Amino acid sequence: MSDTWFEDRTYRHTDWTPERLLDLKRQRGLTVSLVVPARNEEATVGGIVSRVRAALVERTPLLDEVVVMDSDSTDGTGRAAARAGATVHRTVDVRPDLGHRRGKGEAMWKSQFVTSGDIIVFLDADLVEWDTHFVSALLGPLLTEPGVGLVKGFYDRLLDLPGGARVSHEGGRVTELVARPTLALRWPALSGVVQPLSGEWAIRRDLFGQLSVPTGYGVELAVLIDTHLRCGVRAVAQVDLGRRAHRHQSLRGLGAMATELLAIADRRCGIEHGGDVAIRWFDTSDGHGRPRTGTVSTVERPPAAGVGPERSRVLGGAVGR
Ligand SMILES: O=c1ccn([C@@H]2O[C@H](COP(=O)(O)OP(=O)(O)O[C@H]3O[C@H](CO)[C@@H](O)[C@H](O)[C@H]3O)[C@@H](O)[C@H]2O)c(=O)[nH]1
Ligand SMILES: O=C(O)[C@H](O)COP(=O)(O)O
């Protein structure tokens, strides 16, 4: 790890008030977009949007837009988000000329075509324990340190255990067993990043637009590694956000996520596994045992800055001529 990176680039959310951040944002003449990628988050997305809007649009207008990217939801996610005051885009409807892929990274990549802020802040839609400083505090290093391009949130996790909640000072299962070991071995300058997979992060639009974006869960690890490779570790900062709780995936789901992260990391070391990686398991849930096969997509979208305007718009008047 770079000698002084941790000390120089680690902040606490209490370092800034929203009012101070608003002053800084106005002085710098910057705009900010909040993007919430959401797949089947009807239960939580409305409350998240309402709280963010009340605190950071109405009370202290730090956010210029609040956008929910509805990522192939089959429940009422889009309706709940719109009712709460978000601008909602279905990922599949954004730039249909570029095709459609499933996944969180796809929703985040496509958000670049429907937002305009100089800074984009991402927030997960499945949070159950969180506060609005999860959004505002991520702006602190971007508004105060000219060299910073990417800010990751970190936190203690609140785990629901029988008999009550417990605070864990560790990262999640994939974080501790895959992401942080991978960084320690291959990109040790990033080994001080406490929560490399956190879904709460902020990035300058001009930097995000230069990066290729995995369509699935590899987006966080890829953006972190690529920011470091492109701009150096000092372009990365992290902010302690306090405590966070979210919905947990099954271990098998996390196995798929881990497979994708390893493939994304391998690609950055010159090892290519192709677009879809096959995974196999033995399913005994029906009382018989059956081999099952699935695939994990490791596809990446190209840097958005290099993607031209929508074809129908380019053709413009030519259509129908
Ligand atoms: O196809 C998808 C899948 C998920 N999501 C949304 O992405 C967010 C995080 O998804 P989740 O399944 O809760 O991820 P976690 O299991 O919590 O994974 C952790 O690790 C991932 C890999 O780095 C990060 O993307 C997550 O933000 C981080 O919380 C939620 O708002 C989801 O609704 C989508 O928009 N589209
Ligand atoms: O962040 C992670 O490592 C994964 O999302 C798993 O988190 P969990 O162990 O808190 O479910």
Side-chain angles (χ1 to χ4, degrees):
M1 187 173 75
S2 144
D3 276 342
T4 61
W5 179 82
F6 193 95
E7 288 71 22
D8 295 349
R9 288 288 190 253
T10 302
Y11 302 84
R12 291 184 59 78
H13 70 88
T14 47
D15 290 345
W16 311 275
T17 61
E19 292 70 29
R20 174 72 187 131
L21 292 168
L22 184 60
D23 280 348
L24 289 165
K25 179 195 157 193
R26 285 179 170 156
Q27 281 165 27
R28 311 239 180 311
L30 295 171
T31 53
V32 182
S33 304
L34 174 70
V35 171
V36 181
R39 174 171 159 77
N40 293 342
E41 306 290 8
E42 179 180 14
T44 43
V45 73
I48 289 173
V49 169
S50 305
R51 278 176 72 186
V52 163
R53 280 186 47 80
L56 303 177
V57 176
E58 282 146 26
R59 196 173 322 132
T60 313
L62 265 174
L63 299 178
D64 296 279
E65 57 184 347
V66 175
V67 171
V68 168
M69 295 299 295
D70 185 349
S71 171
D72 303 312
S73 297
T74 52
D75 67 359
T77 291
R79 281 189 301 280
R83 261 199 311 272
T87 302
V88 179
H89 295 280
R90 293 193 325 147
T91 306
V92 66
D93 295 336
V94 176
R95 291 296 304 262
D97 59 314
L98 301 174
H100 174 58
R101 313 271 325 180
R102 300 178 76 80
K104 182 191 188 202
E106 172 82 354
M108 296 162 91
W109 182 73
K110 283 209 168 166
S111 75
Q112 295 175 93
F113 302 104
V114 291
T115 57
S116 60
D118 302 301
I119 296 172
I120 305 177
V121 184
F122 293 105
L123 177 73
D124 280 354
D126 67 331
L127 301 181
V128 289
E129 187 72 38
W130 67 289
D131 209 336
T132 54
H133 67 255
F134 275 37
V135 175
S136 51
L138 293 174
L139 297 171
L142 287 165
L143 294 174
T144 52
E145 287 293 338
V148 169
L150 169 68
V151 181
K152 296 289 300 182
F154 72 94
Y155 34 74
D156 284 335
R157 284 152 67 247
L158 269 185
L159 300 178
D160 250 341
L161 296 176
R166 177 173 71 80
V167 178
S168 163
H169 306 293
E170 299 169 337
R173 291 163 285 174
V174 181
T175 301
E176 294 297 354
L177 297 175
V178 176
R180 303 194 76 244
T182 298
L183 294 175
L185 289 169
R186 294 177 172 173
W187 297 280
L190 294 170
S191 62
V193 178
V194 180
Q195 296 279 6
L197 303 187
S198 81
E200 289 67 48
W201 48 285
I203 190 165
R204 291 184 194 280
R205 171 182 296 273
D206 55 4
L207 171 59
F208 194 36
Q210 300 294 322
L211 306 179
S212 64
V213 177
T215 55
Y217 285 114
V219 50
E220 274 79 23
L221 192 64
V223 165
L224 179 62
I225 294 168
D226 292 349
T227 297
H228 160 53
L229 294 177
R230 177 175 279 267
C231 310
V233 69
R234 296 184 69 79
V236 180
Q238 60 184 353
V239 180
D240 182 351
L241 300 176
R243 290 179 179 178
R244 174 190 194 267
H246 70 135
R247 180 182 32 73
H248 299 276
Q249 293 200 43
S250 68
L251 202 48
R252 183 152 294 132
L254 294 181
M257 180 191 290
T259 307
E260 185 184 344
L261 299 192
L262 290 170
I264 293 298
D266 273 356
R267 181 170 293 141
R268 280 148 181 80
C269 295
I271 302 165
E272 185 53 58
H273 300 282
D276 285 337
V277 175
I279 49 174
R280 307 197 73 192
W281 68 96
F282 200 63
D283 184 355
T284 52
S285 57
D286 63 357
H288 312 284
R290 292 182 208 283
R292 303 273 186 217
T293 310
T295 54
V296 174
S297 170
T298 71
V299 168
E300 300 196 30
R301 290 293 206 167
V307 174
E310 200 165 341
R311 268 203 298 277
S312 58
R313 293 209 183 125
V314 173
L315 292 174
V319 175
R321 237 193 302 179

